[in-house]
Amino acid sequence: MSMRRTTIKDVAGAAGVGVATVSRVLSGGSASPETRERVLNVAAQLDYRPSALGRNLRQQRSGGIGLLLPDITDTFYGRLADGVLACARSAGEPVILGTTGDDPEREAELIGMLMEQGVDRVIAVPSGDGEIWAPTLRAGLTMVFAHRLSTGHGDVPAVLADDRAGVRTAVDYLTGLGHRRIAYLGGPGQEQRLSVFRQALGGLVDEELIVVARGSRDSAYAAAAGLFQHRPDLTAVLAGGNLLGEAAVLAARELDLRVPRDLSLIMFDDVPWAELCAPPLTVIAQPAQDIGYRAAELVLREGGRRPRGVLLPTELIVRGSCAPRRTPNKSG
């Protein structure tokens, strides 16, 4: 009976550090001398032999595509995964799916697992900093980022929706309706959207109206409810994803804020329930399935030069959740 193979998580636990730290040390990344020595000693004691941390030959790999997503229960990421699977199926490539929960430690652990399993290619919606991806690139795996970029890895091809145009269109639409106190309800990996939001509002931006939640539903609801309670003067909100839009709708209902009479709302992602709301939500539609399909096409491309990136259009779909800003009645 064979013994279970030691994993990168085992080394991290025994060394008292995170998986990301072990990954950095074993790939030659930054770490203190004490940490480096402890990790290397533990790895030697446990006979940890990563199959692909810069030492594995390509012909030893088993093939297939690794797909890392923050949350498969999120409709947007479910559609993105469906696009990847459709393209991979037509190419006869298996897909190994992992969910990171937008947790860099979990992401590093899954990267280590994919490398140990010998996959050739990885598509990821990155959540951690760029250093987490260094082992993958040093090992020569083919990488494509989808929906988000990872800092420090501009050389990795990425398939993105046109966030810049989407945010500007939403802000222009709301300001055209007379709104000035416009909030942004954001989540992990939305730095570019936030930057464009600030630029689009110019001198009208109020930092107190920018709130960033973590990746969970509870965090999104707490952020939305806190925003609405602390700033009852806001008149419009742009939600950076369907989880955040859902939280905004629920919080507004709980606080007896009427959409769009008291609060205009625009949400990124056109998900089926957006049309079922009362009123139906105005959205910035993103081509999630196309993002996944194009990312798989890129990662499977053999030979020749791969494009640095693909930018897909977004679309403002106007429904019933926005209205002109109400002017307060002045009593005599």
Side-chain angles (χ1 to χ4, degrees), residues 15-310:
V17 298
V19 172
T21 301
V22 176
S23 181
R24 281 200 302 274
V25 169
L26 296 180
S27 63
S30 61
S32 69
E34 296 81 5
T35 299
R36 181 179 302 281
E37 183 177 1
R38 185 162 74 253
V39 168
L40 292 176
N41 285 339
V42 168
Q45 290 166 11
L46 296 179
D47 194 26
Y48 176 61
R49 297 176 183 176
S51 61
L53 280 176
R55 294 182 291 276
N56 192 29
L57 297 176
R58 179 166 289 276
Q59 58 264 32
Q60 291 177 307
R61 299 205 181 112
S62 59
I65 300 171
L67 174 61
L68 298 185
L69 302 172
D71 178 8
I72 196 64
T73 66
D74 183 316
T75 306
F76 176 84
Y77 294 123
R79 284 162 44 222
L80 191 155
D82 191 53
V84 171
L85 291 168
C87 183
R89 186 165 53 246
S90 66
E93 285 282 346
V95 176
I96 300 173
L97 174 64
T99 56
T100 65
D102 269 320
D103 176 3
E105 286 288 323
R106 173 67 177 153
E107 184 173 72
E109 179 185 329
L110 287 168
I111 291 168
M113 179 201 75
L114 291 174
M115 295 175 73
E116 287 168 353
Q117 293 192 4
V119 299
D120 277 322
R121 303 170 174 87
V122 177
I123 298 169
V125 178
S127 58
D129 60 32
E131 215 171 333
I132 287 177
W133 293 99
T136 318
L137 297 169
R138 288 193 187 102
L141 272 71
T142 303
M143 280 288 309
V144 170
F145 291 135
H147 183 54
R148 297 179 192 161
L149 295 170
S150 180
T151 54
H153 290 300
D155 55 332
V156 175
V159 181
L160 309 169
D162 192 349
D163 278 351
R164 187 172 297 277
V167 172
R168 285 192 176 279
T169 301
V171 171
D172 288 348
Y173 181 66
L174 291 171
T175 55
L177 291 172
H179 295 282
R180 296 296 178 264
R181 295 189 181 95
I182 303 172
Y184 185 87
L185 184 59
Q190 294 188 9
E191 291 80 11
Q192 176 168 296
R193 288 182 189 172
L194 275 170
S195 174
V196 177
F197 179 77
R198 289 186 174 98
Q199 292 169 17
L201 280 176
L204 296 175
V205 68
D206 181 342
E207 291 296 330
E208 284 190 356
L209 295 180
I210 296 176
V211 177
V212 179
R214 295 187 300 276
S216 69
R217 275 185 164 79
D218 287 346
S219 175
Y221 178 82
L227 174 66
F228 297 160
Q229 287 173 315
H230 290 121
R231 291 299 300 267
D233 59 324
L234 70 84
T235 63
V237 61
L238 173 58
N242 68 79
L243 198 70
L244 298 156
E246 175 188 300
V249 169
L250 292 174
R253 185 180 300 163
E254 288 291 321
L255 296 169
D256 291 326
L257 292 172
R258 293 161 296 181
V259 177
R261 182 179 172 87
D262 302 319
L263 181 73
S264 288
L265 173 62
I266 297 180
M267 175 180 77
F268 263 88
D269 299 344
D270 187 20
V271 292
W273 60 261
E275 278 193 283
L276 304 177
C277 284
L281 297 188
T282 294
V283 298
I284 300 291
Q286 303 180 98
Q289 193 164 11
D290 286 350
I291 291 173
Y293 197 95
R294 296 290 292 274
E297 281 186 329
L298 264 185
V299 87
L300 288 168
R301 184 173 295 184
E302 298 284 359
R305 291 185 59 187
R306 292 191 302 161
R308 183 63 58 85
V310 176

